[in-house]
Amino acid sequence: MRAKREIRSAGGPNAFRLLCVKQLLWSKLSSAQNLFPWPVRGLDFDNDSAFMNDTVVSWCRSHDVEVTRSRAYKKNDQAFVEQKNGAIVRRLVGYGRFEGIDAARSLVRLFAAARLYINFFQPSFKLKEKHREGAKMIKCYLPPATPYEKALVHPRLNEAFKGRLREIYRTLDPVALLAQMRDAQNELGKRVDQRAGKSAMTVAQGHSDLAAFARELGDGWKQGEQRGIHRRRYVRRKPVPRRPSMLDPYIPIIEEWLAAAPHLSAVDLLSLLEAHAPGRFSGHQRRTVQRLVKNWRSKAARQLISNTEITLSVQASRLRI
């Protein structure tokens, strides 16, 4: 009862919930700061007058971290951040919806491996300078390098931090990190668009043989590797009943005409139908007759090719005898 009175006096259950969220976010920010091999000097985020100012800014001030944020109504201020969201986050995770603790664990596994794999083994281009010559913009880029290599050549980075980076690099295996990322992506592919609380789906086991996994990578890009997080092709779930057509009673007659004279066009067939059933057909049914002729010719071509292959196989067997 005393705890309830304290919560009510402090602002009710919503205030207690916000306090819990604030403590959780503070712990996550502290753990994120510990992942960097050097101290964090500043944070940049979007505009938010309630959540960010109340939670993140207070943590930054208590840890001597500079806070910068984008200007109001200036969405291009976050261009570099949004670029990384598209090039890294969306490409690794996709655009599906994930719910539940199991999906959160898979995301943690994926980002834990991707953080090391991208920062230590994925080179990227950076713009060095650009200038305009008339209507043409000339851009000059720095040589491609990984974030790890860029940190080692940075003049303001302490040698102790550089030594820590070298120790981390010596313990990493890019093939093992990539195998962990693929396993996490397969798990996310099983749980995409699955509501929390449903029965857990069967997830494929991870790669136990890294050599076999490395051999598969050589041909994966040629065959167009399809991962579980990739956008799935839309499949209409609701069956679409076929509506009856006015040509259905005349299809056998039309097929007989085409079998006798395959060169007949849809206009010729429509004129024959008008003569066969006066007052029932007109020029409005020309597109329907064209689709019927197209389907008949496709079926006839496939049948002709299959008969030709059978004839050639029989002749080849007779020649061998």
Side-chain angles (χ1 to χ4, degrees):
M1 295 297 295
R2 181 179 179 183
K4 291 182 179 180
R5 285 195 300 269
E6 290 179 355
I7 294 173
R8 192 179 297 112
S9 62
N14 291 332
F16 180 72
R17 189 179 299 111
L18 290 176
L19 180 60
C20 294
V21 172
K22 182 177 181 179
Q23 295 295 332
L24 178 62
L25 185 58
W26 278 34
S27 63
K28 295 302 180 181
L29 288 172
S30 301
S31 61
Q33 185 184 32
N34 294 330
L35 292 176
F36 285 92
W38 50 77
V40 177
R41 299 181 59 184
L43 287 181
D44 180 71
F45 44 80
D46 292 336
N47 278 309
D48 193 318
S49 60
F51 181 71
M52 289 298 181
N53 288 351
D54 181 65
T55 306
V56 180
V57 174
S58 58
W59 180 88
C60 293
R61 289 175 178 173
S62 62
H63 291 76
D64 296 331
V65 176
E66 183 182 2
V67 175
T68 57
R69 68 176 188 177
S70 60
R71 296 168 293 175
Y73 308 106
K74 300 291 184 180
K75 61 181 181 180
N76 288 337
D77 286 355
Q78 298 292 326
F80 295 105
V81 177
E82 298 299 334
Q83 179 187 17
K84 294 302 180 182
N85 287 337
I88 296 177
V89 178
R90 291 303 179 188
R91 185 167 293 183
L92 290 177
V93 180
Y95 291 85
R97 181 183 179 89
F98 300 99
E99 294 183 4
I101 300 299
D102 295 333
R105 293 195 183 100
S106 300
L107 286 173
V108 170
R109 286 188 55 216
L110 175 60
F111 289 130
R115 178 181 66 87
L116 299 174
Y117 181 78
I118 294 172
N119 289 328
F120 284 89
F121 300 103
Q122 288 292 300
S124 60
F125 281 99
K126 292 296 181 182
L127 183 64
K128 180 179 180 181
E129 59 182 8
K130 63 179 180 179
H131 61 278
R132 182 180 294 275
E133 293 183 2
K136 188 175 182 180
M137 181 68 71
I138 306 299
K139 296 182 180 181
C140 181
Y141 291 88
L142 294 170
T146 62
Y148 162 71
E149 295 171 345
K150 296 174 185 177
L152 291 183
V153 299
H154 199 282
R156 296 185 179 180
L157 188 61
N158 192 354
E159 290 297 330
F161 295 131
K162 294 182 180 180
R164 182 181 174 186
L165 286 175
R166 294 188 183 96
E167 293 177 1
I168 297 175
Y169 179 75
R170 283 193 291 267
T171 61
L172 298 179
D173 184 0
V175 178
L177 291 175
L178 188 59
Q180 295 176 14
M181 292 169 58
R182 292 292 183 266
D183 293 340
Q185 287 174 335
N186 291 333
E187 293 180 3
L188 290 174
K190 301 289 184 180
R191 299 187 174 95
V192 64
D193 298 331
Q194 180 187 6
R195 289 189 176 276
K198 286 190 176 181
S199 58
M201 301 179 66
T202 304
V203 181
Q205 296 296 328
H207 297 277
S208 58
D209 189 2
L210 293 180
F213 173 74
R215 286 193 298 268
E216 294 175 0
L217 294 176
D219 299 329
W221 65 274
K222 297 180 182 178
Q223 300 173 359
E225 183 182 6
Q226 184 71 23
R227 301 178 197 144
I229 59 169
H230 286 177
R231 183 172 295 178
R232 291 161 174 77
R233 183 181 178 183
Y234 174 75
V235 178
R236 186 181 177 90
R237 302 298 181 185
K238 184 178 180 180
V240 181
R242 180 183 177 274
R243 293 182 297 179
S245 175
M246 61 183 304
L247 285 177
D248 291 344
Y250 303 94
I251 288 178
I253 301 174
I254 295 174
E255 291 180 350
E256 291 179 2
W257 292 341
L258 288 173
H263 63 278
L264 290 176
S265 64
V267 178
D268 298 334
L269 291 174
L270 192 58
S271 61
L272 293 175
L273 285 172
E274 291 176 357
H276 182 76
R280 184 167 178 79
F281 294 95
S282 63
H284 297 290
Q285 287 80 31
R286 184 176 60 180
R287 183 68 185 123
T288 306
V289 178
Q290 286 177 348
R291 287 195 294 266
L292 180 61
V293 173
K294 181 180 178 181
N295 295 334
W296 182 88
R297 287 176 177 172
S298 299
K299 187 188 302 182
R302 288 194 296 269
Q303 186 176 1
L304 180 63
I305 292 172
S306 62
N307 293 337
T308 304
E309 292 177 352
I310 293 174
T311 304
L312 292 176
S313 62
V314 171
Q315 292 178 357
S317 62
R318 289 177 179 176
L319 290 175
R320 293 193 192 95
I321 294 174

